[in-house]
Amino acid sequence: MTDIPDAGQITFAQDPQSQGNPALGWFREARFGMFVHWGVYAIPAGYWNGEPTPHMGEWIMHDLKIPAEEYKQLAASFDPHDFDAAALVDLAVRAGQRYLVLTAKHHDGFCLWDTELTTFSSAVDAPLGRDIVGEISQACRDRGIKFGLYYSQTQDWTHPDAAGNDWDFDPETQDFESYLQGYVKPQLTELLTGYGEIALIWFDTPQGITAEQSRDLVEHVHMLQPYCLVNGRVGNGLGDYGQTRDNEMPDEPAGDWETPITGNGTWGFTDNTEWKSAREISVTIAKAVSRGGNVLLNVGPDSRGAVPSAQVVELETIGDWLQRCGASIYGTHRGPFRALEWGWSTASSDHVYLLVENWPAHGELVLPANVSVESARLLTDAGGTSLEVRGAQGGAVVDLNGVEADAVLSVIELTGAREVAPL
Ligand code: JFZ
């Protein structure tokens, strides 16, 4: 039912020295965020002169080898004048997301802010003439959710000295270091000095960047905002937190990490309508938090800036579930019970939470053999129905007879759960 493979790994490592970083406090608390992939690729939306792109929407320029000068003309059609940053952030809040990460610059080089370094932006070349980074950062501040920025540091298909575009530019004669020093760092300076507190910078596809160059970027970010986190995709094992591949679930990861997941099969908007269900996403959140990680769920607004309504429904359903069951997610950490047949466990300082993916048909939820429990209650209903626990001394059973499973994912809160004897 879920297409997110288990037994993945942390591909982009957390720098072990970062684990004590106090800025990770909010990250561990938040657990669930909104990724926003938005740019001029939302206009072709997966088709170029009627030809479909074989891959994700935001990769259309690369995959169809569209010449940079031709692709850049798209900016002249970028005019989502009804875009409402407050409405987008309100959707994140309703979905129960505690941080938002916006693609300030993706691999195509289009910038969503008023940058001095190129006119290829929502503020200058686009008739829209607006600073989207500014608008969304303000809306996040207004609603009290953390704001971070995605920035493609290695690939920039419209910059002659960056990586990724070998159909317009000759890799042999490129000067990547001059692009890093003369373009990437000045742009990061704009982003980290012009928009208040930036919670994190989300770098991507490090590819051939050297350890020295990755370190230079980390230091640049931290020099400008010491509490701004840097994700593992800065490359060379230097992230403040680790990251899996896209849509992947690591097995038993150490440290702090995040898995970025699509809402359908693409990051940038296309006509793909294969939405992951609220249940599927809540199971992914449960798994990630039970292993100490966060989930960053993508939305790809269309060329008018709207999130497809079918996805809005799923997001609102997740938000309703988190209203009922958020105690098992926000601020919790790895659960004590592993390899459960029926689901996942998380823990706070006071409680253990059982997130029951497979509701037992026989009405009995069997806990691991060496566990005793004082009491159990269902988080699913407003009253928090208490559940009977039998055989508390070793091999406890929570009685679920007559109890209805949650429409999304059932959560049981245990009080006084402890190991009575090592297995
Ligand atoms: C990257 C981007 O290329 C993509 O457009 C999107 O922004 C996504 C969030 O990140 O895609 C990747 C990056 C890393 C892997 C796969 C896709 N990986 O390590 O398998």
Side-chain angles (χ1 to χ4, degrees):
M1 134 187 152
T2 167
D3 66 345
I4 297 184
D6 263 273
Q9 44 178 321
I10 301 288
T11 318
F12 304 96
Q14 177 180 36
D15 181 343
Q17 291 183 6
S18 292
Q19 281 195 27
N21 183 340
L24 283 166
W26 74 260
F27 184 82
R28 291 175 186 143
E29 187 76 30
R31 293 300 181 214
F32 183 39
M34 175 182 274
F35 213 167
V36 182
H37 275 72
W38 197 33
V40 289
Y41 42 74
I43 299 168
Y47 294 88
W48 197 255
N49 300 327
E51 185 188 350
T53 183
H55 195 205
M56 303 170 292
E58 74 284 4
W59 273 75
I60 192 166
M61 176 184 174
H62 177 275
D63 294 343
L64 300 183
K65 301 208 178 313
I66 302 167
E69 287 314 312
E70 191 183 338
Y71 184 85
K72 282 163 88 172
Q73 302 301 318
L74 282 174
S77 313
F78 192 74
D79 195 17
H81 45 268
D82 292 333
F83 172 70
D84 181 353
L88 180 69
V89 173
D90 186 62
L91 176 62
V93 170
R94 275 184 285 135
Q97 294 165 315
R98 298 279 172 95
Y99 61 115
L100 183 151
V101 180
L102 171 69
T103 50
K105 185 191 83 157
H106 203 266
H107 307 326
D108 65 358
F110 182 68
C111 298
L112 284 177
W113 78 102
D114 192 3
T115 171
E116 291 289 311
L117 287 119
T118 178
T119 61
F120 187 43
S121 73
S122 62
V124 180
D125 284 353
L128 181 71
R130 280 160 51 183
D131 186 318
I132 299 296
V133 170
E135 293 179 15
I136 298 182
S137 69
Q138 184 58 47
C140 285
R141 241 187 323 276
D142 291 346
R143 299 300 300 272
I145 79 171
K146 294 283 181 183
F147 178 65
L149 292 165
Y150 173 109
Y151 185 92
S152 178
Q153 80 279 28
T154 301
Q155 300 195 66
D156 186 326
W157 305 325
T158 49
H159 193 294
D161 287 309
N165 179 343
D166 61 5
W167 59 98
D168 286 305
F169 311 120
D170 178 5
E172 296 297 314
T173 61
Q174 283 179 312
D175 183 353
F176 184 72
E177 179 66 17
S178 83
Y179 155 74
L180 269 191
Q181 300 302 331
Y183 195 84
V184 172
K185 282 167 68 180
Q187 284 208 319
L188 288 169
T189 301
E190 290 179 347
L191 292 169
L192 287 155
T193 57
Y195 301 94
E197 183 192 304
I198 302 297
L200 61 85
I201 298 287
W202 215 99
F203 291 112
D204 201 6
T205 61
Q207 300 185 340
I209 195 169
T210 66
E212 200 179 29
Q213 291 168 331
S214 294
R215 190 176 302 283
D216 192 21
L217 291 182
V218 171
E219 283 171 1
H220 187 67
V221 171
H222 288 163
M223 184 257 298
L224 294 164
Q225 292 209 22
Y227 294 111
C228 179
L229 297 173
V230 171
N231 73 332
R233 294 188 187 194
V234 71
N236 297 291
L238 292 171
D240 288 318
Y241 66 90
Q243 225 147 22
T244 64
R245 289 196 164 84
D246 301 348
N247 294 303
E248 201 169 83
M249 188 59 66
D251 229 9
E252 291 288 337
D256 300 285
W257 59 275
E258 172 184 71
T259 181
I261 68 170
T262 49
N264 52 357
T266 174
W267 304 90
F269 177 79
T270 68
D271 56 5
N272 180 310
T273 55
E274 286 164 19
W275 300 107
K276 288 174 187 159
S277 68
R279 171 166 169 84
E280 196 174 338
I281 291 162
S282 68
V283 167
T284 297
I285 296 170
K287 282 191 201 180
V289 178
S290 78
R291 300 165 193 196
N294 288 13
V295 174
L296 189 62
L297 170 63
N298 186 65
V299 300
D302 66 15
S303 62
R304 297 167 305 131
V307 176
S309 53
Q311 191 182 17
V312 170
V313 171
E314 299 304 331
L315 286 165
E316 288 173 339
T317 305
I318 297 165
D320 290 345
W321 173 71
L322 284 164
Q323 285 279 334
R324 301 191 287 279
C325 300
S328 66
I329 301 296
Y330 304 122
T332 64
H333 47 83
R334 289 174 174 77
F337 312 146
R338 329 295 299 171
L340 299 165
E341 272 171 30
W342 38 258
W344 317 96
S345 74
T346 66
S348 65
S349 48
D350 300 326
H351 301 287
V352 169
Y353 296 95
L354 311 177
L355 297 101
V356 186
E357 183 180 1
N358 305 310
W359 193 250
H362 46 77
E364 291 196 334
L365 193 77
V366 181
L367 301 185
N370 59 337
V371 169
S372 84
V373 173
E374 282 167 21
S375 65
R377 119 191 141 92
L378 197 67
L379 285 191
T380 297
D381 56 355
T385 305
S386 352
L387 302 170
E388 196 189 323
V389 184
R390 284 196 300 273
Q393 284 306 311
V397 168
V398 181
D399 187 349
L400 296 177
N401 280 298
V403 178
E404 224 176 294
D406 189 275
V408 178
L409 179 63
S410 306
V411 181
I412 293 164
E413 180 185 80
L414 302 181
T415 302
R418 59 189 183 89
E419 268 183 53
V420 289
L423 275 179

